[in-house]
Amino acid sequence: MPIGSMLSWQGGDLALLEALGLPLWIFDIDHKRVFWANQAALRVWGARSLAELQQRDMSLDMSVSVAQRLGQYQQDFERENASFVESWTLYPNGRPCVLKVAFRGIRADGRVMMFCEAQNPLSADPASLRSAEALMHTSVPITLYDSAGMALYRNPSARAQVADAGERWRQHFLHDGDWQALQQGVAAVGEARQLARVHTRRGERWHEIAVRACRDAVSGQDALLVSEVDITDLKHAEARASFLANHDVLTGLPNRNGIRSDFLPYLQQALRNGRQAALMFIDLDRFKNVNDSLGHARGDELLVGMTARLSRLLRHDEKAARLGGDEFLVMLAAPDAAGRAEALGRDILQALGMPIRLGGMDISVSASIGISVCRDGTLDLEQMMRHADLAMYAAKDAGRNNLMFFTPALEARTQAQLALESDIRRGLEQGEFVAGFQPRVDVASGKVVGAEALARWNHPQRGLLKPDSFIQVCEDSGLILQLGRQILAQATRQQRLWREMGLDLMVSVNLSPCQFVDPALPAMVAAVLADSGCQADRLELEITESVLLGHDDQTMRTLQALRAQGVSIAVDDFGTGYSNLAYLQRYPLSSLKIDRSFIADLDSTPAIAELIITMCRMLGLKVVAEGVETPKQLAWLRQRGCQEYQGYLCSPALAAGEFHKLLL
């Protein structure tokens, strides 16, 4: 049957087709079945009858590649009245049969089917047959182009991905430079490889393209054999990994890694253009309170909201980054960077300070901002960040909700603090920190009944130093844990020595907030008591009001663990914190210490001290007055029933030997 325009199935043609000796059949591509076949085709297919052959479901053992290829044929038949002569391997009853087959479209039963004419059987060596099958079934798109860039052949995978059947080799590329690079490589060494963005039926994709010079087996002319691997998903994964490595997942802002790649080139260009650069270090004040009280999910929600507010204030050429936690960095460049940074900083403070709705509550946080300015054109990004960080901490020290510019004095102060921290660390190792003991006196009898252990630093050059010269650095550096243990150990050993002398004295020791939240505190206290031989019921640990707020479960567990050992618990400086009278009943406390400021104001405002004493009497708590300096104050306390006092009226803190003389 001649190959020409698309055929239409006519029942009258049946006798003619049946009479032909060539195997002929019509394949229903949609249903994957033989629609009709003549007797010669039935023999090829190994079928006893047409009815039997029509019942065979060819899709059961049809590969994805063959199904794809048939779909491509159907499209070509419909669009272009195309016809093909190809070698095909059929599998009648599971046995391979290689034929040279002519294909063309035919309209039958209202659909486009495939008219097949087996021109002659083929025989080939196994390697040739298998290579042809591999070319048909591979998922790698393979195309043969002539020297003019026209496609001579596309395997099914290449046909499935090509954007336009008439597309030339050069038109395949989004960027002409990729095509040129491949052409140059082939011209130089006969082959080339390139990652390139290309046009496909799925849109723009990334392909790894390998091209090799060859000859067309039909014409003998020069040709290019091109294979392609789609690596778009890998590219996207790489881009995502790069984004995650350089950006904060929560806010989408650059992170510490991204600052160098995102900020540094911009700052360098700004300085080359004669502008000044500034970095602003922003820290949200008391953000930890939001996490602790509302949970981390609400904290994240707050950070996202603050990021949106911050971003709206920035000009198009100003950038923001999140350094982690509640810390942000803003970069800007301007002819007057300091002026722009100050104006922007004021706007940021106002915007971030506005209430935000979280979990049905209006929450307000403030910010502290430190600013570092580069005016001389010498850019050191790490140094600018460090300077802005120092200025931010200065803003916090100045009361928060404030901005500060870096000055050399800030760095000098920081260097001094680092030197002091190193000196403290050395002093702790050398045993230079000692406990001084201030007497606790029974108000009614005037007898010394106990002592509060207070840290002193016996510095080899500076002499005996009081806590105000080193405690804050110990708190900031974490050395307070080591210092606290040393003072506790000295105090408990001294209590045991006094007991051995026949002196029944209670010893009290302050715990810093850092010590109290340390999960190892109860075990540490137990170990110190065991090592020192101190009686647990003669040890009182003093805590501030602040440690009792916001951590009910953990606070209760810690207090109960200490009380279970027999240790007493006192609240120091009572009345100066965020007082909540409910915790006086909730927690296992033994005494309250009236802050010295209330004792100093007895002449003008005695009501607060009187209220505390009355409340302690009602709750069964011992009350101790601090800072008693005059007989008049003592007389007032005696009249109100205060049990104990401390202060210069009796004695300041003394070394253990001097304290013993006081008792004689």
Side-chain angles (χ1 to χ4, degrees):
M1 179 170 289
I3 302 297
S5 61
M6 186 182 294
L7 297 171
S8 294
W9 174 257
Q10 302 290 335
D13 296 331
L14 181 59
L16 176 61
L17 296 176
E18 287 283 6
L20 292 176
L22 291 175
L24 305 172
W25 67 93
I26 298 173
F27 190 77
D28 185 344
I29 297 174
D30 293 331
H31 296 98
K32 305 298 187 292
R33 295 176 185 272
V34 172
F35 178 75
W36 173 87
N38 67 359
Q39 289 297 317
L42 292 178
R43 288 191 293 272
V44 168
W45 283 100
R48 292 189 297 271
S49 67
L50 177 59
E52 179 197 338
L53 183 58
Q54 289 173 332
Q55 291 300 313
R56 294 182 186 178
D57 185 354
M58 305 293 185
S59 68
L60 296 178
D61 58 357
M62 183 179 292
S63 69
V64 174
S65 299
V66 171
Q68 185 181 60
R69 183 66 161 165
L70 292 175
Q72 293 168 356
Y73 283 165
Q74 192 174 40
Q75 293 176 5
D76 292 340
F77 295 150
E78 292 185 274
R79 295 174 184 173
E80 307 169 18
N81 285 330
S83 60
F84 309 96
V85 177
E86 293 183 351
S87 297
W88 270 72
T89 302
L90 307 180
Y91 295 90
N93 299 320
R95 296 188 302 273
C97 175
V98 184
L99 298 171
K100 183 178 182 181
V101 184
F103 304 107
R104 65 173 302 172
I106 183 171
R107 296 193 181 277
D109 218 18
R111 289 176 286 115
V112 175
M113 302 187 190
M114 185 168 68
F115 187 84
C116 309
E117 175 186 346
Q119 296 181 345
N120 60 277
L122 296 175
S123 61
D125 63 275
S128 298
L129 290 175
R130 287 166 180 157
S131 64
E133 286 293 292
L135 190 63
M136 169 73 72
H137 291 280
T138 181
S139 61
V140 177
I142 298 175
T143 307
L144 184 69
Y145 293 98
D146 65 16
S147 57
M150 293 292 294
L152 298 173
Y153 168 78
R154 288 189 175 98
N155 75 338
S157 292
R159 287 176 57 85
Q161 64 90 29
V162 70
D164 180 0
E167 178 185 84
R168 290 175 174 267
W169 167 229
R170 189 168 190 169
Q171 295 170 332
H172 190 44
F173 297 87
L174 265 72
H175 303 297
D176 199 57
D178 292 329
W179 174 83
Q180 291 176 353
L182 287 168
Q183 290 292 101
Q184 291 168 2
V186 171
V189 297
E191 61 182 5
R193 187 179 296 270
Q194 180 83 8
L195 299 182
R197 295 176 67 187
V198 297
H199 298 286
T200 74
R201 189 167 295 180
R202 299 172 60 187
E204 298 177 3
R205 306 287 290 179
W206 278 97
H207 281 191
E208 181 180 19
I209 300 176
V211 56
R212 177 171 295 179
C214 63
R215 290 184 181 276
D216 175 23
V218 175
S219 67
Q221 300 297 313
D222 290 340
L224 294 176
L225 183 64
V226 176
S227 63
E228 305 177 48
V229 177
D230 192 324
I231 60 168
T232 306
D233 292 342
L234 178 60
K235 277 288 187 179
H236 288 169
E238 290 177 349
R240 179 62 176 167
S242 176
F243 181 86
L244 293 177
N246 293 286
H247 290 79
D248 170 52
V249 176
L250 179 65
T251 64
L253 296 176
N255 58 16
R256 286 185 180 273
N257 291 332
I259 287 172
R260 183 163 295 278
S261 60
D262 205 16
F263 281 29
L264 187 58
Y266 178 88
L267 292 174
Q268 291 170 335
Q269 184 61 46
L271 295 177
R272 285 194 294 267
N273 293 340
R275 294 188 293 170
Q276 299 173 352
L279 288 181
M280 306 173 65
F281 202 113
I282 304 168
D283 185 90
L284 300 182
D285 299 326
R286 300 184 180 91
F287 173 72
K288 185 176 183 296
N289 292 347
V290 176
N291 271 343
D292 290 345
S293 58
L294 300 181
H296 288 278
R298 296 300 184 194
D300 288 349
E301 189 178 340
L302 174 65
L303 290 172
V304 172
M306 295 297 106
T307 299
R309 292 181 182 183
L310 177 62
S311 299
R312 285 194 292 267
L313 296 173
L314 303 183
R315 295 173 179 172
H316 72 280
D317 60 345
E318 296 171 344
K319 298 179 180 295
R322 182 186 176 206
L323 301 182
D326 58 348
E327 297 177 340
F328 296 85
L329 193 70
V330 169
M331 176 228 56
L332 60 89
D336 178 16
R340 170 56 185 163
E342 182 168 8
L344 176 59
R346 300 297 178 193
D347 291 340
I348 291 173
L349 290 176
Q350 182 178 7
L352 299 189
M354 296 293 291
I356 184 171
R357 194 76 172 171
L358 296 176
M361 301 173 59
D362 288 330
I363 303 299
S364 295
V365 295
S366 59
S368 298
I369 302 176
I371 304 172
S372 173
V373 180
C374 176
R375 296 184 176 91
D376 60 4
T378 303
L379 179 65
D380 186 334
L381 185 59
E382 295 299 328
Q383 184 183 68
M384 288 185 71
M385 290 177 62
R386 184 167 53 84
H387 287 175
D389 190 26
L390 290 174
M392 183 274 293
Y393 278 106
K396 282 191 178 293
D397 291 343
R400 296 183 170 87
N401 194 31
N402 199 359
L403 65 84
M404 298 283 285
F405 281 86
F406 170 79
T407 63
L410 292 178
E411 190 161 35
R413 187 179 71 177
T414 301
Q415 293 298 328
Q417 288 179 328
L418 289 175
L420 178 57
E421 179 184 333
S422 177
D423 205 16
I424 291 172
R425 198 180 301 276
R426 179 200 55 76
L428 289 169
E429 293 172 355
Q430 297 297 320
E432 295 173 3
F433 288 86
V434 296
F437 297 92
Q438 184 174 39
R440 285 176 53 167
V441 184
D442 181 75
V443 171
S445 66
K447 180 181 178 182
V448 175
V449 294
E452 179 181 357
L454 300 170
R456 297 291 186 264
W457 186 3
N458 193 10
H459 197 281
Q461 285 82 40
R462 300 168 61 190
L464 194 66
L465 302 178
K466 292 185 177 181
D468 56 0
S469 64
F470 58 83
I471 282 294
Q472 188 58 55
V473 175
C474 289
E475 291 274 7
D476 295 340
S477 63
L479 293 173
I480 194 67
L481 297 179
Q482 186 176 353
L483 174 62
R485 183 185 179 105
Q486 288 190 11
I487 298 302
L488 179 63
Q490 293 179 39
T492 52
R493 283 198 301 269
Q494 188 59 52
Q495 194 282 333
R496 188 204 67 196
L497 292 174
W498 284 330
R499 188 182 77 242
E500 291 173 349
M501 296 176 188
L503 300 174
D504 183 21
L505 298 178
M506 172 76 77
V507 65
S508 59
V509 181
N510 289 286
L511 292 180
S512 76
C514 292
Q515 286 178 282
F516 188 80
V517 299
D518 181 8
L521 174 64
M524 185 272 285
V525 171
V528 169
L529 287 172
D531 291 342
S532 66
C534 174
Q535 294 172 307
D537 63 352
R538 310 313 289 159
L539 173 64
E540 184 174 72
L541 299 177
E542 299 184 12
I543 59 177
T544 61
E545 288 181 81
S546 62
V547 304
L548 299 178
L549 303 177
H551 305 280
D552 287 354
D553 293 342
Q554 182 58 44
T555 299
M556 181 63 79
R557 285 194 292 269
T558 300
L559 292 176
Q560 288 176 339
L562 293 172
R563 291 290 284 156
Q565 298 178 34
V567 174
S568 299
I569 306 295
V571 178
D572 194 18
D573 301 331
F574 183 77
T576 60
Y578 299 97
S579 301
N580 181 348
L581 300 182
Y583 66 61
L584 298 180
Q585 292 180 304
R586 182 183 311 127
Y587 295 126
L589 306 175
S590 56
S591 61
L592 296 185
K593 302 187 77 172
I594 305 175
D595 185 69
R596 65 184 62 249
S597 63
F598 300 129
I599 302 302
D601 293 339
L602 283 180
D603 289 339
S604 58
T605 54
I608 296 179
E610 189 164 4
L611 176 62
I612 294 174
I613 294 172
T614 302
M615 181 179 60
C616 288
R617 185 183 304 116
M618 295 174 61
L619 296 173
L621 297 175
K622 181 188 296 182
V623 59
V624 181
E626 295 184 299
V628 177
E629 299 182 355
T630 68
K632 184 178 179 181
Q633 292 170 342
L634 179 59
W636 188 94
L637 293 168
R638 185 180 294 115
Q639 291 173 0
R640 270 71 180 177
C642 178
Q643 288 100 326
E644 296 181 17
Y645 80 91
Q646 295 174 225
Y648 282 13
L649 180 61
C650 175
S651 172
L654 302 170
E658 295 297 318
F659 187 95
H660 182 67
K661 293 178 183 179
L662 185 69
L663 300 177
L664 297 178

